[in-house]
Amino acid sequence: MKITDHIQAANGRTLFSFEILPPLKGQDIQEIYNGIAPLMEFKPPFIDVTYHREEFLLKPLADGTFRRITTRKRPGTVAICAAIMNRFKVDAVPHLICGGFSKEETENALIDLHFLGIDNVLVLRGDNLKHETSFVPQPDGNQNALELLQQVVRMNQGRYMDDELANATATDFCIGVAGYPEKHHDAPNLKADIRWLKQKVKAGATFITTQMFFDNKAYFDFVATCRKEGIDIPIIPGIKPLASLKQIALLPKVFHIDIPEALADAVEQAPNEQAVRQIGIEWAIAQCRELKEAGVPVLHFYTMGKSQATKRIAEAVF
Ligand SMILES: Cc1cc2nc3c(=O)[nH]c(=O)nc-3n(C[C@H](O)[C@H](O)[C@H](O)COP(=O)(O)OP(=O)(O)OC[C@H]3O[C@@H](n4cnc5c(N)ncnc54)[C@H](O)[C@@H]3O)c2cc1C
């Protein structure tokens, strides 16, 4: 079922959902199931599964030179989507990225997803590789999320890359895109970022999932600006429970978001990591209660594969 239909069917009730990461290469899928099972009591209508592109590493050799190796640390997004749909009877939302994909590989991935009965995709550009200062698309790939979205829309119209395919089956994906309450780091300002977001909506996106934020004002202001710009699709807030002291430096660095002063101060004064986790949970509960009160369509949690904190927040909020 499409995310937009889930939201409509909820009739104004806030839904619960979450995102998981595929396990590190070599680890078992049971770890994924163990992370999902405790959260099923909150009846998530869908679960997102992230996509991780390949990385390039330099492996030192005996003669002092290096060999470049390519590795994908977290493969398996499509298979995990199919496995969790089968096991938990919920919709899975695979993330699709431009980075590392040719358009043909994207088309083939979409065919797989369609055959598996997956109704939703979240389309993203993906980040630059660690050794690159800015995002470098594949020469034969999509340059940004808008182009990737347009490819999915064309397939929804039965238009594949090969123009000569006669009577090709149209897919029917519900397509989500990312939004950034505190602006995407490449954008010169929030207004410009929202203008690009509007392009994605005009091109056919039907829901937006936001980057994590710790100050609800950022989300409320973002939604207000989007609405003023004519973006009228659901904007799903992304919630991350702060889980360790080091995250107050790490999260801003990796995700380009702010940690509010009150939260950072409280965490810095906490006597130990257990107290930090408790502060993170209480902060997220307060955030979620206010968001739910404001009538957000879904509270979407970045679990990073760990269910404990999300479970405690959901217990307090739903
Ligand atoms: C909810 C969510 C889930 C995510 N999941 C994943 C994941 O599974 N795997 C992963 O690798 N990454 C993931 N990311 C990270 C994401 O890939 C990065 O944030 C990436 O840098 C930007 O992706 P985007 O889709 O927002 O890009 P885009 O929409 O392409 O935007 C990128 C930048 O370009 C600008 N821009 C947009 N369109 C244009 C245009 N036509 N011309 C010029 N500039 C333009 C935007 O303002 C923005 O600054 C996720 C992010 C979010 C918020």
Side-chain angles (χ1 to χ4, degrees), residues 240-245 247 263 266-267 270 272-285 306 308-309 312-313:
K240 159 91 181 82
L242 194 90
S244 67
L245 177 61
Q247 285 186 351
L263 177 57
V267 162
N272 53 41
E273 286 291 346
Q274 197 190 340
V276 171
R277 280 196 294 279
Q278 182 60 25
I279 292 166
I281 288 169
E282 283 167 16
W283 188 275
I285 290 173
K306 308 243 183 318
Q308 225 183 0
R312 286 194 44 208
I313 298 159

Side-chain angles (χ1 to χ4, degrees), residues 212-232:
M212 65 182 74
F213 55 90
F214 290 89
D215 181 353
N216 284 352
K217 186 173 182 309
Y219 171 82
F220 291 133
D221 289 352
F222 175 70
V223 173
T225 313
C226 286
R227 299 302 181 226
K228 226 183 277 163
E229 290 291 323
I231 296 173
D232 56 2

Side-chain angles (χ1 to χ4, degrees), residues 1-266:
M1 189 165 151
K2 293 182 177 181
I3 302 240
T4 44
D5 292 336
H6 282 298
I7 292 173
Q8 208 171 5
N11 227 346
R13 185 172 50 86
T14 299
L15 300 169
F16 165 80
S17 75
F18 58 97
E19 173 190 289
I20 59 163
L21 279 59
L24 285 165
K25 189 182 280 187
Q27 297 198 358
D28 199 78
I29 194 165
Q30 189 59 41
E31 187 195 328
I32 293 291
Y33 297 152
N34 294 347
I36 294 175
L39 299 177
M40 290 313 292
E41 66 176 284
F42 308 106
K43 302 198 171 18
F46 62 91
I47 298 172
D48 278 44
V49 185
T50 55
Y51 194 92
H52 299 260
R53 67 174 299 184
E54 78 285 11
E55 290 176 38
F56 300 104
L57 304 173
L58 290 176
K59 195 172 179 189
L61 300 176
D63 63 2
T65 61
F66 291 87
R67 185 159 57 91
R68 194 176 95 145
I69 55 164
T70 309
T71 178
R72 193 182 296 279
K73 285 188 183 161
R74 294 183 185 271
T77 299
V78 174
I80 287 169
C81 284
I84 61 180
M85 280 169 69
N86 185 36
R87 191 175 178 109
F88 296 104
K89 314 292 176 226
V90 290
D91 281 305
V93 184
H95 293 185
L96 280 183
I97 60 172
C98 306
F101 270 86
S102 69
K103 287 185 186 165
E104 197 187 351
E105 285 163 341
T106 297
E107 182 170 282
N108 290 337
L110 287 164
I111 291 170
D112 283 349
L113 298 176
H114 178 62
F115 287 164
L116 286 167
I118 288 172
D119 295 326
N120 305 280
V121 286
L122 188 74
V123 299
L124 304 140
R125 186 192 71 182
D127 279 322
N128 42 295
L129 293 168
K130 282 199 185 100
H131 66 277
E132 291 168 349
T133 49
S134 60
F135 177 74
V136 180
Q138 289 284 103
D140 49 0
N142 291 303
Q143 309 282 309
N144 52 40
L146 176 63
E147 275 193 21
L148 173 55
L149 176 107
Q150 287 163 334
Q151 184 175 8
V152 185
V153 169
R154 281 195 299 276
M155 285 189 65
N156 278 353
Q157 296 163 344
R159 290 160 56 209
Y160 289 60
M161 288 178 68
D162 178 353
D163 295 336
E164 289 169 15
L165 275 186
N167 301 320
T169 305
T171 56
D172 188 21
F173 291 109
C174 172
I175 313 168
V177 292
Y180 300 83
E182 296 173 68
K183 142 181 143 51
H184 182 264
H185 55 276
D186 288 349
N189 55 62
L190 186 60
K191 258 286 176 62
D193 201 20
I194 290 178
R195 272 203 303 275
W196 290 123
L197 178 60
K198 189 171 176 185
Q199 294 300 315
K200 295 192 276 190
V201 177
K202 272 168 76 179
T206 52
F207 69 95
I208 295 164
T209 305
T210 79
Q211 182 59 278
M212 65 182 74
F213 55 90
F214 290 89
D215 181 353
N216 284 352
K217 186 173 182 309
Y219 171 82
F220 291 133
D221 289 352
F222 175 70
V223 173
T225 313
C226 286
R227 299 302 181 226
K228 226 183 277 163
E229 290 291 323
I231 296 173
D232 56 2
I233 61 175
I235 302 179
I236 299 173
I239 304 295
K240 159 91 181 82
L242 194 90
S244 67
L245 177 61
K246 72 171 195 276
Q247 285 186 351
I248 59 168
L250 192 69
L251 298 178
K253 195 166 150 200
V254 175
F255 297 105
H256 310 275
I257 48 112
D258 264 7
I259 306 287
E261 208 179 317
L263 177 57
D265 285 353

